[in-house]
């Protein structure tokens, strides 16, 4: 679960910096960087179904207040090949520039991203 005060996707290690760097390049360069040319990252329906089902269940329990504990914010990591499941507690890096009060959290149009995306208007 990603929510204010419990860390963003970057803090929780859910963003791969290498993939992010690849995605910033033009399409032709992205194709050259892939391990198998012409094959986008494959999605496997059973794994997508497992992930989506877990996410919907967690969302419904959290939004309806049905977790056994109010501080139950962890996620379950499924490893189908080994049949293992691990609880992963969320984390937040104190100096995070995205999700902390010293970063861009809640800054709206005054935040760093908004400034970068501002388009000059013609007079």
């Amino acid at each position: 679960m990603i929510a204010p005060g419990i860390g963003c996707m970057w803090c929780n290690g859910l963003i791969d910096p290498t993939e992010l760097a690849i995605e910033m390049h033009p399409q032709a360069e992205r194709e050259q960087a892939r391990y198998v040319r012409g094959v986008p990252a494959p999605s496997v329906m059973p794994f997508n179904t497992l992930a989506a089902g877990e996410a919907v269940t967690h969302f419904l329990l959290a939004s309806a207040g049905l977790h056994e504990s109010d501080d139950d914010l962890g996620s379950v990591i499924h490893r189908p090949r080994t049949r293992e499941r691990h609880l992963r507690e969320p984390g937040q890096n104190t100096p995070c520039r995205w999700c902390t009060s010293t970063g861009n959290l809640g800054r709206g149009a005054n935040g760093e991203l908004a400034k970068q995306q501002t388009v000059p208007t013609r007079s």
Side-chain angles (χ1 to χ4, degrees), residues 29-86:
E29 290 179 26
R30 288 196 311 255
E31 285 296 321
Q32 291 175 350
R34 298 285 176 211
Y35 182 67
V36 179
R37 289 181 189 239
V39 178
S43 61
V44 181
M45 191 166 50
F47 295 137
N48 291 348
T49 303
L50 181 66
E54 180 74 25
V56 168
T57 300
H58 195 58
F59 172 77
L60 291 173
L61 290 173
S63 62
L66 296 176
H67 280 124
E68 290 183 9
S69 172
D70 288 340
D71 63 349
D72 182 10
L73 301 172
S75 299
V76 177
I77 305 297
H78 298 273
R79 301 193 192 291
R81 295 181 68 197
T82 60
R83 297 183 183 189
E84 296 175 357
R85 292 187 177 158
H86 302 280

